[in-house]
């Protein structure tokens, strides 16, 4: 694994230097849009929706669309004034009971690896969380965006899980649930029996992504049967190089322009 962030956990006067790693990886089946006749990848051009003209990479800006459909163009200078953080600190705000954190607000999860010289304070924080049954609510800047997260113990490792903001969680406002539905004692008892009959411990290895396995088997069968297209790699590579060079040149020109130099 490759660390995506390096900083320190601070609680009280204790600092624990750590490295941050993504704890999960996406194994969803990914398809590409291709030409059915020859398997060539479908490419898209950058075209303005108003005038239909192709747009150079250097002329593309960020736009924020309002709820009314209005578009506000934001320049690099505008974005540079936003309150972004470059702090490399995971600051513990408080320790709260784990059950107070709703599963609905949990987002991305990361592992924290301590520096060799920080194993003892790392273990101290880990044991403190385990014995207290609490999690640490922290703030951290990942890729310049400050977010709220929780520190919890996963096996022998400290895991950091970012939280969604309150306005990102929808309210389950379903009118049908407001209607009263009487459940009889017999129905309640039968439901309890069903729960008891299906009770057990959770074993993640008992579940498999059958769709992914089926897709892989289908692809392997087509490969074995010679059903494969060999697109012209040279053309695609050259197109990508041109786009990359154009992007690099646009970046250089923009940097020179910002410094007042001739482009």
């Amino acid at each position: 694994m490759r660390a995506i962030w390096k900083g320190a956990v601070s609680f009280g006067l204790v600092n624990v230097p750590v490295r941050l790693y993504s704890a999960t990886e996406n194994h969803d089946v990914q398809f590409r849009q291709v030409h059915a006749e020859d398997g060539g990848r479908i490419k898209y051009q950058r075209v303005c929706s108003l005038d239909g003209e192709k747009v150079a990479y250097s002329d593309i800006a960020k736009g924020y669309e309002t709820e009314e459909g209005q578009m506000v163009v934001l320049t690099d200078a505008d974005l540079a004034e936003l309150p972004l953080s470059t702090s490399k600190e995971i600051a513990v705000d408080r320790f709260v009971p784990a059950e107070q954190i709703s599963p609905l607000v949990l987002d991305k999860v990361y592992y924290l690896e301590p520096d060799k010289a920080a194993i003892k304070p790392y273990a101290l924080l880990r044991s403190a969380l385990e014995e207290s049954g609490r999690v640490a609510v922290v703030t951290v800047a990942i890729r310049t965006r400050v977010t709220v997260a929780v520190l919890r113990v996963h096996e022998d490792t400290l895991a950091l899980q970012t939280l969604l903001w309150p306005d990102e969680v929808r309210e389950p406002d379903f009118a049908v649930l407001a209607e009263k539905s009487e459940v009889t004692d017999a129905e309640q008892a039968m439901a309890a029996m069903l729960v008891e009959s299906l009770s057990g411990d959770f074993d993640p290895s008992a579940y498999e992504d059958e769709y992914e396995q089926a897709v892989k088997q289908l692809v392997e069968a087509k490969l074995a049967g010679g059903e494969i297209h060999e697109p012209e790699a040279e053309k695609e590579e050259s197109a990508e190089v041109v786009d990359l060079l154009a992007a690099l040149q646009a970046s250089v020109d923009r940097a020179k322009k910002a410094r007042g130099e001739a482009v």
Side-chain angles (χ1 to χ4, degrees):
M1 292 190 294
R2 177 181 298 178
I4 63 172
W5 184 93
K6 186 176 182 180
V9 178
S10 65
F11 60 107
L13 297 178
V14 179
N15 274 5
V16 187
V18 294
R19 286 175 293 277
L20 196 71
Y21 299 85
S22 293
T24 60
E25 54 187 1
N26 192 340
H27 285 171
D28 286 348
V29 175
Q30 301 291 328
F31 295 110
R32 297 186 182 276
Q33 290 188 325
V34 298
H35 188 193
E37 293 184 4
D38 54 22
R41 294 184 184 180
I42 304 300
K43 296 183 178 181
Y44 296 91
Q45 296 179 333
R46 297 179 290 269
V47 178
C48 177
S49 62
L50 296 180
D51 57 27
E53 297 293 330
K54 293 182 181 179
V55 181
Y57 182 85
S58 58
D59 292 331
I60 295 179
K62 290 182 173 64
Y64 182 92
E65 186 173 4
T66 67
E67 294 182 358
E68 294 75 20
Q70 297 173 313
M71 189 66 67
V72 179
V73 178
L74 302 175
T75 66
D76 290 344
D78 294 329
L79 297 175
E81 296 179 358
L82 296 179
L84 301 179
S85 175
T86 57
S87 172
K88 293 296 183 181
E89 180 184 34
I90 301 175
V92 175
D93 180 48
R94 64 190 61 196
F95 297 94
V96 305
E99 61 271 15
Q100 290 186 359
I101 306 296
S102 169
L104 287 178
V105 303
L106 297 176
D107 198 16
K108 296 180 181 178
V109 60
Y110 305 89
Y111 291 139
L112 296 182
E113 178 193 31
D115 285 354
K116 290 184 178 180
I119 295 178
K120 185 174 182 179
Y122 182 94
L124 175 63
L125 177 56
R126 182 184 60 199
S127 62
L129 291 174
E130 285 182 317
E131 293 179 6
S132 66
R134 293 175 177 260
V135 296
V137 177
V138 305
T139 54
V140 58
I142 301 177
R143 299 184 180 92
T144 71
R145 288 288 302 276
V146 176
T147 186
V148 180
V150 293
L151 280 180
R152 64 174 77 248
V153 179
H154 175 71
E155 298 179 354
D156 293 332
T157 306
L158 288 177
L160 180 142
Q161 192 156 16
T162 58
L163 304 181
L164 298 173
W165 297 107
D167 61 357
E168 292 180 313
V169 179
R170 295 175 173 175
E171 290 292 335
D173 186 14
F174 303 120
V176 67
L177 295 180
E179 300 177 8
K180 293 184 178 180
S181 178
E182 297 295 336
V183 178
T184 66
D185 292 342
E187 291 169 336
Q188 188 66 56
M190 186 61 67
M193 290 176 59
L194 176 60
V195 171
E196 183 62 30
S197 66
L198 294 176
S199 295
D201 296 324
F202 176 58
D203 179 12
S205 63
Y207 300 87
E208 292 184 356
D209 188 343
E210 296 180 356
Y211 182 78
E212 180 186 8
Q213 296 299 326
V215 170
K216 289 182 177 179
Q217 292 175 7
L218 176 61
V219 170
E220 289 173 359
K222 284 184 173 290
L223 287 173
E227 297 184 51
I228 182 174
H229 295 282
E230 295 287 355
E232 298 181 13
E234 291 185 3
K235 290 184 179 180
E236 183 162 338
E237 288 176 2
S238 62
E240 291 179 354
V241 170
V242 169
D243 287 344
L244 178 58
L245 288 175
L248 290 173
Q249 183 62 58
S251 299
V252 171
D253 292 344
R254 182 175 297 182
K256 287 184 177 180
K257 187 176 180 180
R259 294 196 300 266
E261 299 177 9
V263 176

